[in-house]
Amino acid sequence: MSELLAIPALILLLTLGAGLVRVVIGPTPTDRLMAAQLTGTTGIATLLVLAPVLRAPALVDVALVFALLAAVAAAAFTRQRRSAEEP
Amino acid sequence: MSSPPSSVDRDGTQGRSPVLAALSVSVLTVLFAGLWLTLVGPTDPGSWIIGVPAVIAAVWARQRLAPAPGRGLSLLGALRFLPVFLIESFKGGIDVARRVLGTRLRVEPGLLTYRLSLDSRAARVFFVDLVSLLPGTLSADLQGDTLVVHALDCRVDAAPELLRLERHVARVFRERLPEQGAPTP
Amino acid sequence: MVALHWLAAALILAGLLFFVAGTVGLLRLPDALSRLHALTKADNLGLFLVALGLLVANPEPFFALKLLLIWLLVMAAAATGAHLIAKRAVRGDGEDAP
């Protein structure tokens, strides 16, 4: 069972990679900001699925830290431009 | 209206009995200790060497930073809202997946505005976040009392759904919404 | 036991479907805010199903608590992030102005 979870992990990474196409082609900064959302959720799912495959339960803790930082990352990304423009 | 629309009690500490304050500190301590246990797991009692100071620091920081909310939360309201939330967020995911995976995209995106009646900041933030997780709507901007909502399909009127959601949030946060016959356009 | 493994597999597969839907939406939808819908809602449900599947395969109370914590944090992050990104787009800061 555990080894079979490598397949969903691979599929998740593929969806993550395909989603990054949108980040690359844009066309608006809004599309690029979505990288924060995409890597947040899909990355966390990948880590959770990989934890039993690699027999590394610590990956669940890594996922937890990712989840904790996801909100901060989104806030930081969206702030950046505005504060750079204002002065 | 018997009572004036109360604003949020900013300093929050006034009028609270010491018993209640002690109770809230002990509840917080139990919560943070549970959180610590969740993080490190039950198998390592030595972790409490770091855990106990961390829990104390967390309780202290919570007491310092967050003023106690004016009315507190209604547990009953929250319990009644939980299944609604789970079902609705499920429907939100299924809805968007169906629209996107069909051979023809079924979307008619557009913006609409909604007047918020919720009063306290916490309730508003909670509502704004919920709107984004539920089917077809995404909260885009909040200016004063006006919430700009992006709808995936603006052929469906989202206002009744938002009103229903707002009533649930009001119940969780023990707020009384004004009885409005028709929401202002 | 075997039935539980099938249930876990089914839940994880269903979760994957929503992740795929999120990415398809991200690539297919016509405007940025609609793409944000797909990303926020579909990926959230996907994560919920994947986490539930992993929990069924490995039912331990503390694993469950940790997954619950992750799910709550991701929901808060997704909702907050979606709102902030949408607000930025609607207000037309930067190059987003229509």
Side-chain angles (χ1 to χ4, degrees):
Chain A
M1 179 68 192
S2 290
E3 288 70 26
L4 282 180
L5 279 173
I7 300 166
L10 193 65
I11 296 174
L12 281 170
L13 281 178
L14 284 176
T15 63
L16 181 60
L20 285 177
V21 169
R22 173 54 78 190
V23 176
V24 173
I25 61 175
T28 62
T30 306
D31 295 299
R32 304 212 161 88
L33 283 173
M34 283 179 212
Q37 302 274 84
L38 180 74
T39 50
T41 324
T42 316
I44 287 163
T46 313
L47 286 169
L48 289 178
V49 172
L50 273 180
V53 179
L54 303 176
R55 291 194 176 75
L59 285 182
V60 179
D61 295 318
V62 177
L64 189 65
V65 174
F66 268 40
L68 202 55
L69 288 178
V72 185
F77 276 1
T78 47
R79 289 276 147 170
Q80 202 177 24
R81 174 191 294 285
R82 204 173 303 154
S83 60
E85 258 175 20
E86 256 160 15
Chain B
M1 287 277 110
S2 52
S3 60
S6 59
S7 60
V8 191
D9 194 2
R10 268 280 126 217
D11 58 33
T13 45
Q14 71 169 146
R16 275 161 51 105
S17 70
V19 179
L20 216 61
L23 194 70
S24 91
V25 166
S26 50
V27 168
L28 276 177
T29 310
V30 170
L31 279 179
F32 281 125
L35 187 60
W36 176 262
L37 211 55
T38 306
L39 293 179
V40 299
T43 50
D44 184 12
S47 76
W48 285 107
I49 294 170
I50 300 165
V52 170
V55 169
I56 293 172
V59 172
W60 179 78
R62 164 65 175 70
Q63 292 297 81
R64 265 309 285 279
L65 294 174
R71 298 177 198 80
L73 301 176
S74 153
L75 193 63
L76 189 70
L79 284 179
R80 278 173 65 180
F81 177 59
L82 189 66
V84 177
F85 170 73
L86 285 177
I87 291 169
E88 289 294 314
S89 69
F90 244 80
K91 283 195 332 208
I94 292 170
D95 171 67
V96 95
R98 278 178 55 197
R99 284 175 193 280
V100 155
L101 292 178
T103 45
R104 210 163 45 83
L105 277 179
R106 293 183 301 112
V107 292
E108 193 69 48
L111 292 170
L112 58 100
T113 57
Y114 180 77
R115 263 195 97 71
L116 273 180
S117 315
L118 290 166
D119 183 42
S120 75
R121 237 180 104 75
R124 287 180 163 212
V125 170
F126 189 63
F127 179 73
V128 164
D129 271 2
L130 281 176
V131 166
S132 297
L133 291 174
L134 301 186
T137 50
L138 190 84
S139 61
D141 199 357
L142 179 62
Q143 282 170 326
D145 284 342
T146 311
L147 182 69
V148 180
V149 177
H150 182 265
L152 205 49
D153 191 343
C154 53
R155 289 167 296 191
V156 189
D157 186 16
E161 200 59 30
L162 291 171
L163 199 65
R164 209 165 63 89
L165 181 66
E166 199 177 17
R167 291 203 182 287
H168 271 290
V169 175
R171 218 171 287 140
V172 174
F173 283 84
R174 296 181 198 276
E175 283 193 21
R176 206 181 295 130
L177 291 184
E179 287 304 324
Q180 45 193 153
T184 33
Chain C
M1 229 27 232
V2 177
L4 273 187
H5 276 168
W6 279 110
L7 178 63
L11 283 167
I12 292 173
L13 270 179
L16 288 179
L17 184 71
F18 283 102
F19 275 108
V20 171
T23 296
V24 170
L26 190 62
L27 295 175
R28 271 187 85 186
L29 285 170
D31 65 293
L33 283 177
S34 299
R35 291 176 204 135
L36 204 50
H37 273 272
L39 203 52
T40 310
K41 291 191 248 280
D43 277 17
N44 252 320
L45 184 53
L47 181 65
F48 175 77
L49 292 171
V50 167
L52 198 63
L54 290 171
L55 187 63
V56 168
N58 180 21
E60 282 175 33
F62 276 92
F63 186 50
L65 280 175
K66 212 177 261 188
L67 287 180
L68 179 69
L69 193 59
I70 291 175
W71 183 57
L72 288 175
L73 284 169
V74 166
M75 264 196 311
T80 311
H83 177 70
L84 288 174
I85 294 172
K87 184 163 90 178
R88 212 181 145 284
V90 166
R91 291 198 177 170
D93 302 339
E95 303 147 34
D96 269 342

